[in-house]
């Protein structure tokens, strides 16, 4: 009876899963809508504290999944800003770095980075991906 | 095309006709290659760019040594002297060439150049790409200009050299020369405020077992 008080629970599914004896986890992605990200450059927009963390509201890829090197739209301090993903918590291809936080660099609409320096290590595999990453690599201090 | 030929001729110190003849001979494969061993010369005689014609006879195909064949794609196309001479010819202001150490596995040379206007930056970038296209072999990848929508910062990555074309205002804001000469001792780093982690930031160090 306790199962029915907490809202609708598909009882059949639970029984099936329990009979299978393994857990099914949801789809795991790197960065998608509503992901909280960490801005790693020294722009004023990224560094001034706000009562809400910056969140991704759109991913500019064919599927809504953002990996390293993809552009996303952030909601930060009540305004919209484009950003570039430079590292995520999800493990990627072998021999690429995995970070402990979803790192993001703010960029303008024309592609110029908003900040002037990046302290956090940036994956050097960005160079091999075809795209406009030389500017972000030019203001980075450390490569991983 | 004619302008490219004229430039190469001026750089090689020989006539335009020699360059054209060398390029046109179907049987003799003329190698227009930048001669790295030549000393960088100042003045009217350009840097060491020589027009070398191969000894192959007409009709026979030219045997290339296997070592050359393997490294053909990754060989640097543009020599630093050629590129700097090109930029000087395009009236680029404040050419800053930084030789990067091998430890920074990014490129060999890092060039920052100032232009007078947006149109000037675009013209310089397009001309550099044009010369690269002319000098490269068929298998080498094309090079593309980054920052087409921007009006103050354009960038080209040639593999072994990276060139940034900026307007003076952008150059002042970013100060790339300071960053790339004093890597960790740059003063903008000291000015970065310490990061204030958000209240809901949970640091969960994950072990290797959880990785795929």
């Amino acid at each position: 009876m306790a199962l029915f008080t907490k809202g609708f629970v598909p009882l059949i599914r639970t029984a099936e899963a329990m009979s299978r004896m393994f857990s099914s986890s949801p789809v795991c992605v790197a960065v998608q809508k509503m992901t909280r990200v960490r801005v790693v450059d020294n722009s004023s927009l990224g560094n001034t504290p706000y009562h809400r963390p910056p969140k991704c509201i759109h991913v500019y890829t064919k599927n809504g999944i953002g990996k390293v090197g993809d552009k996303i739209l952030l909601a930060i301090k009540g305004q919209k800003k484009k950003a570039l993903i430079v590292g995520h918590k999800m493990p990627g291809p072998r021999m690429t770095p995995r970070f402990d936080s979803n790192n993001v660099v703010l960029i303008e609409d024309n592609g110029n980075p908003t900040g002037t320096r990046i302290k956090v290590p940036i994956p050097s595999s960005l160079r091999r991906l075809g795209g406009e990453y030389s500017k972000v690599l030019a203001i980075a201090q450390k490569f991983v | 095309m004619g302008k490219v030929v004229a430039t190469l001729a001026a750089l090689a110190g020989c006539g335009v006709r020699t360059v054209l003849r060398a390029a046109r001979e179907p049987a003799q494969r003329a190698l227009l290659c930048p001669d790295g061993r030549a000393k960088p010369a100042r003045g009217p005689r350009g840097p060491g760019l020589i027009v070398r014609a191969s000894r192959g006879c007409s009709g026979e195909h030219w045997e290339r040594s296997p070592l050359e064949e393997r490294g053909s794609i990754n060989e640097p196309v543009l020599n630093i002297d050629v590129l700097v001479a090109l930029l000087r010819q395009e009236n680029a202001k404040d050419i800053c060439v930084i030789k990067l150490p091998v430890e920074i596995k990014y490129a060999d040379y890092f060039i920052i150049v100032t232009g007078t206007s947006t149109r000037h930056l675009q013209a310089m970038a397009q001309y550099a790409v044009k010369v690269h296209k002319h000098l490269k072999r068929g298998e080498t990848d094309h090079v593309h200009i980054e920052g087409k929508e921007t009006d103050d910062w354009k960038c080209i990555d040639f593999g072994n050299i990276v060139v940034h074309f900026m307007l003076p205002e952008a150059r002042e804001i970013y100060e790339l020369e300071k960053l790339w000469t004093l890597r960790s001792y740059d003063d903008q780093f000291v000015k970065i405020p310490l990061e204030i982690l958000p209240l809901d930031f949970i640091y969960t160090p994950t072990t290797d077992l959880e990785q795929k």
Side-chain angles (χ1 to χ4, degrees):
Chain A
M1 281 303 131
L3 282 167
F4 291 105
T5 51
K6 274 269 176 175
F8 176 67
V9 171
L11 205 57
I12 304 163
R13 277 281 172 79
T14 325
E16 268 184 13
M18 278 168 63
S19 66
R20 261 184 263 156
M21 298 310 253
F22 61 82
S23 65
S24 47
S25 58
V27 174
C28 69
V29 293
V31 175
Q32 56 179 347
K33 289 192 188 186
M34 300 304 279
T35 315
R36 283 165 299 181
V37 295
R38 175 188 172 201
V39 176
V40 295
D41 57 7
N42 67 342
S43 55
S44 56
L45 196 58
N47 285 42
T48 42
Y50 191 62
H51 55 86
R52 303 186 64 174
K55 267 195 193 151
C56 168
I57 54 177
H58 189 262
V59 183
Y60 292 105
T61 51
K62 288 284 161 71
N63 50 359
I65 297 169
K67 305 277 177 177
V68 176
D70 292 332
K71 291 216 177 78
I72 60 173
L73 188 63
L74 285 188
I76 185 168
K77 288 192 77 177
Q79 40 184 290
K80 295 180 279 196
K81 193 86 181 166
K82 281 209 184 147
L84 185 82
I85 304 173
V86 293
H88 49 73
K89 280 180 98 163
M90 176 170 158
R94 302 309 95 62
M95 297 308 281
T96 55
R98 187 194 80 91
F99 296 82
D100 284 331
S101 60
N102 300 316
N103 299 336
V104 121
V105 173
L106 297 181
I107 56 177
E108 306 287 334
D109 288 331
N110 58 10
N112 275 5
T114 311
T116 57
R117 296 284 185 265
I118 302 173
K119 212 164 178 179
V120 162
I122 300 285
S124 47
S125 51
L126 268 184
R127 198 170 174 217
R128 234 170 294 125
L129 305 168
E132 308 222 342
Y133 306 128
S134 296
K135 297 191 184 171
V136 171
L137 290 172
I139 61 173
Q141 188 215 6
K142 203 161 191 300
F143 297 110
V144 163
Chain B
M1 182 60 202
K3 196 181 172 195
V4 179
V5 170
T7 321
L8 289 170
L11 291 168
C14 58
V16 176
R17 204 171 290 169
T18 325
V19 175
L20 282 173
R21 187 172 4 115
R24 231 186 295 130
E25 304 271 49
Q28 275 195 3
R29 212 83 81 75
L31 301 168
L32 280 159
C33 53
D35 189 13
R37 283 165 291 141
K39 293 187 275 289
R42 317 259 173 263
R45 214 188 133 249
L49 177 73
I50 53 177
V51 177
R52 229 191 277 137
S54 75
R55 293 295 151 99
C57 315
S58 53
E60 283 175 26
H61 55 221
W62 184 32
E63 306 279 346
R64 270 152 89 184
S65 62
L67 229 69
E68 219 175 78
E69 202 91 58
R70 226 176 288 139
S72 59
I73 303 174
N74 297 324
E75 232 171 53
V77 175
L78 269 179
N79 196 12
I80 183 75
D81 301 317
V82 170
L83 192 53
V84 172
L86 192 155
L87 292 171
R88 281 204 186 113
Q89 193 200 12
E90 284 287 303
N91 295 326
K93 315 255 176 336
D94 302 333
I95 306 171
C96 175
V97 178
I98 303 168
K99 178 147 179 39
L100 302 179
V102 186
E103 289 82 38
I104 301 175
K105 296 172 204 151
Y106 184 41
D108 297 330
Y109 291 94
F110 194 87
I111 307 181
I112 309 161
V113 149
T114 304
T116 43
S117 65
T118 315
R119 196 71 194 84
H120 187 205
L121 299 177
Q122 179 73 13
M124 282 197 286
Q126 277 174 347
Y127 186 52
V129 172
K130 197 168 176 185
V131 171
H132 171 92
K133 230 165 84 165
H134 184 80
L135 287 175
K136 76 179 180 83
R137 289 185 208 246
E139 307 97 25
T140 323
D141 287 333
H142 284 277
V143 149
H144 87 281
I145 305 176
E146 300 176 18
K148 280 234 165 79
E149 308 92 48
T150 61
D151 54 353
D152 59 349
W153 190 358
K154 300 207 196 296
C155 175
I156 308 181
D157 184 352
F158 286 110
N160 57 329
I161 312 176
V162 182
V163 195
H164 288 266
F165 305 90
M166 303 162 87
L167 287 182
E169 301 83 28
R171 201 165 173 163
E172 286 302 306
I173 295 170
Y174 289 103
E175 290 181 332
L176 290 179
E177 309 94 349
K178 258 197 211 172
L179 173 62
W180 285 86
T181 46
L182 342 148
R183 281 307 265 158
S184 324
Y185 303 99
D186 186 35
D187 55 350
Q188 283 203 26
F189 272 116
V190 184
K191 289 193 200 132
I192 294 176
L194 266 124
E195 191 175 337
I196 309 162
L197 296 172
L199 293 164
D200 58 353
F201 185 79
I202 308 161
Y203 176 57
T204 47
T206 47
T207 56
D208 280 334
L209 299 168
E210 290 176 26
Q211 279 197 338
K212 245 192 276 188

